Amino acid sequence: SAVISQKPSRDICQRGTSLTIQCQVDSQVTMMFWYRQQPGQSLTLIATANQGSEATYESGFVIDKFPISRPNLTFSTLTVSNMSPEDSSIYLCSVEKQGAPGELFFGEGSRLTVL
Amino acid sequence: EDQVTQSPEALRLQEGESSSLNCSYTVSGLRGLFWYRQDPGKGPEFLFTLYSAGEEKEKERLKATLTKKESFLHITAPKPEDSATYLCAVQEGSNYKLTFGKGTLLTVNP
């Protein structure tokens, strides 16, 4: 199994500001995934972060809004830029179990509220 | 149109009252169907992977089954600790991406 730590666990932010979420994994992994979970909506993949290359973004998500860093095989950050109330959500970091496609370990999430 | 639809949205059971949750999907070339459990304030926790129609997996009071169009998560004699949101997700073709449903919120009353 993998243990994933996310910081912050929750925050209240002002409109127009940016916030960076950190994700630390206790083992080296190739891909790290960032998800968004909005109230009443399904868990949605934002982007996949590979070490040493640019993140791959899903349709509807852009790098200017959600820049991602992946400096090594155990750490990644997701920044939510120029926030608006619509960005209020839970953001989750996850990694895939080695040899088990689709079997993900998740962090506990970062709950952001934008006023 | 959603690729993954879960029903019901919410289900309330009495302890010991068995029932089933449904996950219907419309993707072609299913690579895998996954069930996760999510407790309040936590990230989802993996339960099962199903790969082909007819396959079944069991874990304690839970049994997951798969047909060509849907999956069921059967809960036998549930206990209050089974209360959680149950998420279904599919993986299509060669794409590693998981597409999740909105989940079913299960509440089991003592």
Side-chain angles (χ1 to χ4, degrees), chain A residues 6 18-24 30-36 44-72 74-81 91-95, chain B residues 96:
Chain A
Q6 278 188 240
S18 299
L19 183 81
T20 296
I21 302 167
Q22 298 179 6
C23 178
Q24 178 75 51
T30 304
M31 293 192 292
M32 296 177 74
F33 305 98
W34 287 99
Y35 281 86
R36 182 174 72 182
T44 302
L45 181 64
I46 297 171
T48 302
N50 292 305
Q51 195 270 334
S53 63
E54 282 200 6
T56 303
Y57 289 83
E58 296 299 313
S59 175
F61 298 97
V62 295
I63 187 171
D64 289 347
K65 177 67 175 177
F66 297 101
I68 287 171
S69 77
R70 182 79 200 274
N72 57 51
T74 63
F75 187 79
S76 178
T77 67
L78 170 76
T79 298
V80 186
S81 302
Y91 293 85
L92 293 145
C93 172
S94 74
V95 302
Chain B
Y96 58 80

Side-chain angles (χ1 to χ4, degrees), chain B residues 25-95:
Chain B
Y25 60 93
T26 58
V27 299
S28 57
L30 181 72
R31 183 178 179 183
L33 185 139
F34 306 84
W35 283 98
Y36 284 81
R37 169 190 170 129
Q38 186 173 23
D39 293 301
K42 305 285 188 182
E45 177 185 349
F46 171 78
L47 292 173
F48 302 111
T49 306
L50 301 166
Y51 293 106
S52 56
E55 188 175 359
E56 298 184 352
K57 294 275 180 73
E58 285 191 67
K59 180 180 180 179
E60 296 181 355
R61 294 176 293 282
L62 300 177
K63 183 169 80 172
T65 62
L66 181 65
T67 72
K68 288 187 177 180
K69 294 185 178 181
E70 59 191 347
S71 176
F72 292 93
L73 184 65
H74 306 278
I75 303 176
T76 302
K79 298 182 178 181
E81 53 262 42
D82 294 321
S83 298
T85 296
Y86 290 85
L87 303 174
C88 170
V90 298
Q91 199 174 43
E92 182 179 13
S94 60
N95 193 342

Side-chain angles (χ1 to χ4, degrees), chain A residues 37 39-41, chain B residues 5-14 19-23 35-42 73 75 78-88 101-109:
Chain A
Q37 190 171 36
Q41 301 300 314
Chain B
T5 303
Q6 292 188 245
S7 61
E9 291 185 7
L11 180 63
R12 189 177 294 271
L13 301 173
Q14 288 298 123
S19 189
S20 296
L21 313 182
N22 178 264
C23 171
W35 283 98
Y36 284 81
R37 169 190 170 129
Q38 186 173 23
D39 293 301
K42 305 285 188 182
L73 184 65
I75 303 176
K79 298 182 178 181
E81 53 262 42
D82 294 321
S83 298
T85 296
Y86 290 85
L87 303 174
C88 170
K102 294 181 179 180
T104 294
L105 174 61
L106 174 67
T107 304
V108 182
N109 295 315

